[in-house]
Amino acid sequence: MIAYLGVAAGTVSGVMAARRKNMDAVGAVVVAFLTALGGGTLRDMLLGRGPVFWIREEGYAYLTLILAVAFFYSTRLLRFSARSILIPDALGLGVFTVMGVEAGLTDGTSWFIASLMGVITGVFGGVLRDITCNEVPALFSKDMYLYATCSLLGAWLYILTTQVGGMSALALPLTVVFIFLLRLAAVRFNLSLPEPKHSWD
Amino acid sequence: MIAYLGVAAGTVSGVMAARRKNMDAVGAVVVAFLTALGGGTLRDMLLGRGPVFWIREEGYAYLTLILAVAFFYSTRLLRFSARSILIPDALGLGVFTVMGVEAGLTDGTSWFIASLMGVITGVFGGVLRDITCNEVPALFSKDMYLYATCSLLGAWLYILTTQVGGMSALALPLTVVFIFLLRLAAVRFNLSLPEPKHSWD
Amino acid sequence: MIAYLGVAAGTVSGVMAARRKNMDAVGAVVVAFLTALGGGTLRDMLLGRGPVFWIREEGYAYLTLILAVAFFYSTRLLRFSARSILIPDALGLGVFTVMGVEAGLTDGTSWFIASLMGVITGVFGGVLRDITCNEVPALFSKDMYLYATCSLLGAWLYILTTQVGGMSALALPLTVVFIFLLRLAAVRFNLSLPEPKHSWD
């Protein structure tokens, strides 16, 4: 259920990017699809899982299509500021990360690979959105306030808590809350990764 | 057979885009490949079909390579206007859409997913072409005159006619002609999707 | 072993591109990953091989991650000129090409498809790097001095020598040395593919 909130956040973010580039409804739908479902799609392809998740569970595809069209034509729904997207987006980051880690562990990958699958699922939709909109991915700038880092730390928290006896039922909510709070804290306090000392070009 | 016409149209369109960006022969071949075969390649990857179609049926790859080099170095062949590419391209859109829907139905997807596979096969080659040429995909502008919309409507026409007793043999030609004519009409009469009422940024 | 040198060259090239775009450490890691491992990843997806190679052999992923972070934060290690990357890069091109051809032959593709797999493995990482950095791929300009051409010729040399009795043990070193020398010669003597005679736009 909470996964649909992440999909909704990705859809809003995709439609907003499409509007900024003066795309039409087709552009809005495709960019929304890439943003909301692109990370999990890439994960499934990398793992060689056969049909990707939104072909197996069509609810994701339906939701994205309907929401994208509704958001695109709605003016009221879209009086969103970048700020108001932050909450569902941070929740989505947490949920998508857990789903990615789970996919890796289910397929028998190592913890290391599973953590990468978590991060890819969590953040790559936004990268595909920006590439399609002909921009350098925002994820790669220091103004992104630890977006990928929150996902990576959360992935390891999830992996470790599922190993502790009696903790595994708590792993999902604990990780989602952890990523959610860490992400909001990073935005609030302008946290970013350390920069290299000297520029060299 | 008619599929090769679509591949040829994609190749011409890819070589033209490469020339516009002053690419060399390698660029022309790669961009032609992405334009002509990229949509079907993505479809096969999403469906988890094992080797993609042009590895299983090498004729597509041979044709694209040979045509791309020939077009790139030929000056006579390339006195094409954007106008003269419209006819084979509209035919290709029809054929690729049907091939994509068929791939989905063959793999046992729902009608909804099969229609998406049709559209992806029909239009995504051009999206990959534009991304690789560092431009916002033309598909997403309203000047594209219902390109993706023709594909989507045609996909549903194909799905429905294959369900009607005695109609299934007609589904292929009917759909190709429908998409072809609808696309030409959209270009002729400058049709585009409705725009949202108010701008919000 | 020599494959790791190619991965290292790709990582350096990716980190350099990320720095040029003022990306942070996340950007450097992702772009390095795409550059070093992207070509082989695409090859595995096209061949429908199940989990891609760096999920099956994690050493590649570990090496890329560690090197990318080290290069990004190191100032001393990165007094590389574009010139000093040429040697490991040309070696990497040779090794990656052979690995790609081998993957195709192992999966029972034709020589033609195997040669394409070699070229894709050899060169597509750089294409993904440039697309992600929002630039027209350098591979497609004539200043690339036969980069893809070296890979293609080497792929065919490898295929043919593996067919000659008693030569197959030599095929790997022979091909790597051939691609390496041809690439350096192309750079030294400014070789490029012939251009089309007349411009047509």
Side-chain angles (χ1 to χ4, degrees):
Chain A
M1 204 55 226
I2 204 177
Y4 287 103
L5 199 71
V7 169
T11 303
V12 173
S13 150
V15 171
M16 281 176 154
R19 287 294 306 264
R20 231 171 284 128
K21 292 279 175 177
N22 283 315
M23 292 179 183
D24 73 348
V26 170
V29 166
V30 176
V31 176
F33 224 90
L34 287 169
T35 312
L37 308 179
T41 301
L42 178 61
R43 172 205 64 213
D44 284 355
M45 285 178 171
L46 293 172
L47 287 170
R49 294 193 130 206
V52 298
F53 73 102
W54 52 266
I55 291 182
R56 282 177 279 125
E57 297 179 52
E58 298 175 29
Y60 292 112
Y62 276 114
L63 181 72
T64 305
L65 282 181
I66 292 167
L67 274 186
V69 173
F71 280 137
F72 183 71
Y73 285 113
S74 155
T75 45
R76 191 172 312 174
L77 274 174
L78 270 166
R79 268 180 230 293
F80 278 129
S81 60
R83 205 162 184 70
S84 59
I85 215 183
L86 195 64
I87 305 285
D89 186 71
L91 270 175
L93 181 65
V95 178
F96 281 5
T97 300
V98 170
M99 287 169 67
V101 173
E102 264 303 324
L105 294 178
T106 302
D107 284 17
T109 68
S110 69
W111 293 357
F112 170 62
I113 294 293
S115 74
L116 294 186
M117 293 300 121
V119 176
I120 287 171
T121 309
V123 310
F124 226 83
V127 173
L128 293 174
R129 175 198 62 209
D130 295 343
I131 290 176
T132 306
C133 289
N134 202 15
E135 295 190 346
V136 174
L139 180 73
F140 302 158
S141 78
K142 67 186 172 94
D143 305 334
M144 270 304 276
Y145 306 125
L146 305 187
Y147 200 82
T149 310
C150 293
S151 175
L152 182 62
L153 294 177
W156 280 103
L157 176 67
Y158 183 79
I159 290 169
L160 295 178
T161 47
T162 52
Q163 302 303 314
V164 180
M167 286 289 280
S168 76
L170 285 173
L172 170 62
L174 193 70
T175 303
V176 172
V177 169
F178 170 80
I179 293 178
F180 180 74
L181 293 178
L182 186 61
R183 169 72 177 142
L184 293 191
V187 173
R188 174 71 186 76
F189 299 109
N190 287 6
L191 303 182
S192 63
L193 291 174
E195 287 184 81
K197 270 178 199 141
H198 306 286
S199 176
W200 43 270
D201 35 15
Chain B
M1 203 55 224
I2 203 177
Y4 287 104
L5 199 71
V7 169
T11 303
V12 174
S13 149
V15 171
M16 280 176 154
R19 286 294 304 265
R20 230 172 284 126
K21 292 279 175 177
N22 283 315
M23 292 180 183
D24 73 348
V26 169
V29 166
V30 175
V31 176
F33 223 91
L34 287 169
T35 312
L37 308 180
T41 300
L42 178 61
R43 173 204 64 212
D44 284 356
M45 285 178 173
L46 292 172
L47 287 171
R49 294 195 128 204
V52 298
F53 72 103
W54 52 266
I55 292 182
R56 282 177 280 125
E57 297 179 53
E58 298 175 28
Y60 292 111
Y62 275 114
L63 180 72
T64 306
L65 282 181
I66 292 168
L67 275 185
V69 173
F71 281 136
F72 183 71
Y73 284 114
S74 156
T75 45
R76 190 170 314 175
L77 274 174
L78 270 166
R79 266 178 232 292
F80 278 130
S81 61
R83 206 162 183 69
S84 59
I85 215 184
L86 195 64
I87 305 285
D89 186 71
L91 269 176
L93 181 64
V95 179
F96 281 5
T97 300
V98 170
M99 288 169 68
V101 173
E102 265 301 326
L105 295 178
T106 303
D107 284 17
T109 68
S110 69
W111 294 355
F112 170 61
I113 294 292
S115 74
L116 294 186
M117 293 299 121
V119 176
I120 288 172
T121 310
V123 310
F124 226 84
V127 173
L128 293 174
R129 174 199 63 210
D130 295 343
I131 290 176
T132 307
C133 289
N134 202 17
E135 294 189 347
V136 175
L139 180 72
F140 302 158
S141 77
K142 68 187 171 92
D143 305 335
M144 270 305 274
Y145 306 125
L146 305 187
Y147 200 81
T149 310
C150 293
S151 175
L152 182 63
L153 293 177
W156 280 103
L157 177 67
Y158 183 80
I159 291 169
L160 296 178
T161 48
T162 52
Q163 302 304 314
V164 181
M167 285 288 282
S168 77
L170 285 173
L172 170 61
L174 194 70
T175 304
V176 173
V177 168
F178 170 79
I179 293 178
F180 179 75
L181 293 179
L182 186 61
R183 168 72 178 145
L184 293 192
V187 172
R188 175 70 185 76
F189 299 108
N190 286 5
L191 303 181
S192 63
L193 291 175
E195 288 185 81
K197 270 177 200 139
H198 306 285
S199 174
W200 42 270
D201 37 13
Chain C
M1 203 54 224
I2 204 177
Y4 286 104
L5 200 71
V7 169
T11 304
V12 173
S13 149
V15 172
M16 281 176 154
R19 286 293 306 264
R20 230 172 283 126
K21 292 279 174 176
N22 284 314
M23 292 179 183
D24 73 347
V26 171
V29 166
V30 176
V31 176
F33 223 90
L34 287 169
T35 313
L37 308 179
T41 300
L42 178 61
R43 173 204 64 213
D44 284 355
M45 285 177 172
L46 293 172
L47 287 170
R49 293 195 129 204
V52 300
F53 73 102
W54 52 266
I55 292 183
R56 282 177 279 125
E57 297 179 53
E58 298 175 29
Y60 292 110
Y62 276 115
L63 180 72
T64 305
L65 282 181
I66 293 168
L67 274 185
V69 173
F71 281 136
F72 183 72
Y73 284 114
S74 156
T75 44
R76 190 171 313 175
L77 274 174
L78 270 166
R79 266 179 232 293
F80 277 128
S81 59
R83 205 164 183 68
S84 59
I85 215 183
L86 195 64
I87 305 285
D89 186 71
L91 269 175
L93 181 64
V95 178
F96 281 6
T97 300
V98 169
M99 288 169 67
V101 173
E102 264 302 326
L105 295 178
T106 302
D107 283 17
T109 68
S110 69
W111 292 357
F112 170 62
I113 294 292
S115 73
L116 294 187
M117 293 300 122
V119 176
I120 287 171
T121 310
V123 311
F124 226 85
V127 172
L128 293 174
R129 174 198 62 209
D130 295 343
I131 289 175
T132 307
C133 289
N134 202 15
E135 295 190 347
V136 175
L139 181 72
F140 302 157
S141 78
K142 66 186 174 94
D143 305 335
M144 270 304 275
Y145 306 125
L146 305 187
Y147 200 80
T149 311
C150 293
S151 175
L152 182 62
L153 294 176
W156 280 103
L157 177 66
Y158 183 79
I159 290 169
L160 296 178
T161 48
T162 51
Q163 303 302 314
V164 180
M167 285 290 280
S168 77
L170 285 172
L172 171 61
L174 194 69
T175 304
V176 173
V177 168
F178 170 79
I179 292 178
F180 179 76
L181 293 179
L182 186 61
R183 168 73 178 143
L184 294 192
V187 173
R188 175 70 186 77
F189 299 109
N190 287 5
L191 303 182
S192 63
L193 291 175
E195 287 184 82
K197 270 176 200 142
H198 306 285
S199 176
W200 44 269
D201 37 12

